[in-house]
């Protein structure tokens, strides 16, 4: 893919036609070369300083990579030295239609990743959409398209500013529904909310305030809502990668995988315990590059 000059989002259709286009589900991953818990910027890190095993983390990451590679193409970016959380590449941007809305991280410890990601996206030909430094936004950690790409869900609370939602949605001129996270354990939307390809929603209701739950219930019929238990939620049950009808997820120790299989999904559970120490699981370890419809196995829009 050739580079393009970075232009305003309102540029001509010829510019948009030159942006990256993926006919197959495609994801970005970052090997855990520098992964460790070196500081505490979320509740999961507390008590886990320097506890992850680098060898075990690499083995778990390689298994996730192998399983995802069965379903999708994978691009790799190598972490910048001194950026131990960059393995959680799903937090670094939100991508759709060849446009990458880059994160503006809340904590200085992760701000070092931003320029590294900018250079990667520019070299790969993406149009980069910047978020102002004063407007915290953390990529797919806190903003998720539904499988059709027609609705953007975005959360605010501990890490992302409400004011960022409209700015990010303007990159695609798409409607955005804002949700308020109220439990600090679920500091990102992708820890408690996962729109699935079959029209279902995997979510932990009590992570949201009452008005947000009402928005969710208005959008998803009861038979489409899959509420997870606190035990499942604290095993990052919602932090899943969904490709077509396939779901890659961490081990929950419950019947959740069976419940999903009964709805027609093919579920692969993986040990991702070393990454939970850092506050992430499967979803946080991969960033979607292909359009949401392509990753969901839906027909392309004409």
């Amino acid at each position: 893919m050739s580079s393009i000059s970075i232009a305003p989002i309102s540029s001509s259709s010829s510019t948009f036609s030159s942006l990256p286009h993926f006919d197959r589900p495609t994801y970005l991953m970052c090997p855990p070369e520098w992964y460790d818990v070196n500081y505490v910027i979320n509740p999961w890190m507390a008590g886990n300083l320097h506890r992850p095993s680098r060898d075990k983390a690499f083995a778990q990451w390689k298994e996730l990579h192998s399983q995802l590679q069965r379903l999708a193409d994978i691009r790799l970016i190598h972490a910048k030295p001194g950026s131990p959380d960059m393995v959680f590449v799903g937090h670094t941007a939100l991508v759709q239609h060849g446009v990458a809305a880059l994160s503006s991280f809340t904590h200085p410890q992760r701000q070092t990743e931003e320029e590294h990601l900018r250079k990667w996206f520019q070299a790969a030909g993406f149009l980069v959409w910047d978020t102002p430094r004063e407007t915290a936004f953390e990529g797919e950690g806190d903003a998720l398209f539904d499988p059709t790409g027609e609705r953007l869900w975005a959360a605010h609370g501990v890490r992302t500013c409400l004011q960022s939602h409209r700015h990010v949605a303007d990159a695609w001129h798409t409607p955005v529904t804002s949700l308020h996270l109220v439990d600090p354990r679920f500091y990102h939307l992708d820890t408690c909310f996962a729109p699935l390809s079959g029209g279902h929603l995997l979510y932990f209701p009590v992570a949201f305030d009452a008005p947000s739950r009402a928005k969710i219930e208005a959008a998803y019929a009861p038979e489409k809502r899959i509420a997870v238990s606190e035990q499942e939620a604290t095993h990052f049950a919602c932090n899943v990668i969904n490709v077509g009808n396939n779901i890659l997820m961490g081990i929950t120790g419950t019947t959740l995988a069976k419940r999903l299989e009964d709805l027609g999904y093919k579920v692969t559970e993986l040990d991702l315990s070393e990454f939970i120490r850092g506050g992430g699981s499967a979803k946080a370890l991969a960033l979607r590059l292909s359009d949401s419809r392509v990753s969901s196995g839906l027909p392309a829009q004409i």
Side-chain angles (χ1 to χ4, degrees), residues 35 52 56 60 250-251 270-278 280-281:
Y35 174 61
K56 188 174 179 181
Q60 292 178 356
I251 297 170
L270 302 164
D271 181 5
L272 296 169
S273 54
E274 295 306 294
F275 298 104
I276 289 177
R277 295 180 189 273
S281 189

Side-chain angles (χ1 to χ4, degrees), residues 40 43 49 59 66 110 135 145 152 206 259 263 293:
V40 176
L49 285 173
S66 176
R110 295 208 65 179
T135 308
F145 280 100
L152 180 63
V206 299
R259 290 160 60 196
L263 293 170
R293 294 186 69 90

Side-chain angles (χ1 to χ4, degrees), residues 14-288:
S14 61
T15 300
F16 283 101
S17 67
S18 69
L19 296 177
H21 174 77
F22 301 96
D23 295 319
R24 279 177 44 80
T26 305
Y27 291 80
L28 181 66
M29 294 186 71
C30 179
E33 296 158 293
W34 302 98
Y35 174 61
D36 197 358
V37 177
N38 290 356
Y39 39 74
V40 176
I41 59 173
N42 68 59
W44 305 94
M45 290 176 157
N48 280 312
L49 285 173
H50 305 299
R51 289 188 63 189
S53 160
R54 187 74 55 82
D55 289 345
K56 188 174 179 181
F58 223 111
Q60 292 178 356
W61 182 91
K62 286 176 67 177
E63 181 60 19
L64 176 64
H65 178 278
S66 176
Q67 293 295 335
L68 183 55
Q69 200 168 39
R70 294 187 298 106
L71 311 170
D73 294 334
I74 299 176
R75 307 285 190 268
L76 292 179
I77 182 172
H78 289 278
K80 179 181 178 180
S83 297
D85 276 342
M86 198 170 151
V87 67
F88 297 122
V89 72
H91 302 159
T92 63
L94 175 67
V95 180
Q96 186 83 324
H97 305 324
V99 177
L102 288 184
S103 293
S104 177
F105 283 107
T106 301
H107 295 288
Q109 292 91 334
R110 295 208 65 179
Q111 291 172 7
T112 59
E113 303 171 29
E114 295 168 7
E115 187 60 25
H116 197 54
L117 266 294
R118 173 193 302 282
K119 290 177 180 177
W120 188 92
F121 278 113
Q122 289 178 338
F126 288 80
L127 192 155
V128 172
W129 181 257
D130 285 309
T131 304
R133 164 57 56 216
E134 63 272 15
T135 308
F137 166 67
E138 302 202 352
E140 276 200 322
D142 265 331
L144 297 166
F145 280 100
D146 73 4
T148 68
E150 296 171 359
R151 182 199 288 258
L152 180 63
W153 295 92
H156 63 100
V158 177
R159 296 276 280 266
T160 290
C161 296
L162 175 61
Q163 291 79 6
S164 72
H165 295 179
R166 186 67 263 161
H167 171 79
V168 171
D170 281 348
W172 300 276
H173 305 292
T174 190
V176 59
T177 301
S178 296
L179 304 173
H180 186 198
L181 299 176
V182 294
D183 186 327
R185 295 175 300 173
F186 304 100
Y187 64 100
H188 273 159
L189 184 62
D190 70 354
T191 65
C192 53
F193 185 94
L196 301 179
S197 60
H200 299 93
L201 176 71
L202 194 63
Y203 77 125
F204 183 47
V206 299
F208 303 91
D209 67 7
S212 298
R213 290 197 298 272
K215 294 176 186 178
I216 292 168
E217 291 166 3
Y220 288 91
E223 66 273 15
K224 292 294 187 178
R225 300 195 301 262
I226 308 166
V228 304
S229 67
E230 183 170 14
Q231 177 186 344
E232 291 164 339
T234 55
H235 283 78
F236 282 64
C238 298
N239 199 244
V240 304
I241 301 173
N242 178 205
V243 184
N245 68 337
N246 295 276
I247 293 176
L248 305 179
M249 63 188 299
I251 297 170
T252 64
T254 71
T255 61
L256 180 59
K258 177 65 165 56
R259 290 160 60 196
L260 290 166
E261 288 169 349
D262 288 344
L263 293 170
Y265 296 98
K266 299 177 182 177
V267 180
T268 301
E269 290 188 282
L270 302 164
D271 181 5
L272 296 169
S273 54
E274 295 306 294
F275 298 104
I276 289 177
R277 295 180 189 273
S281 189
K283 173 69 186 65
L285 295 169
L287 175 66
R288 178 183 55 77

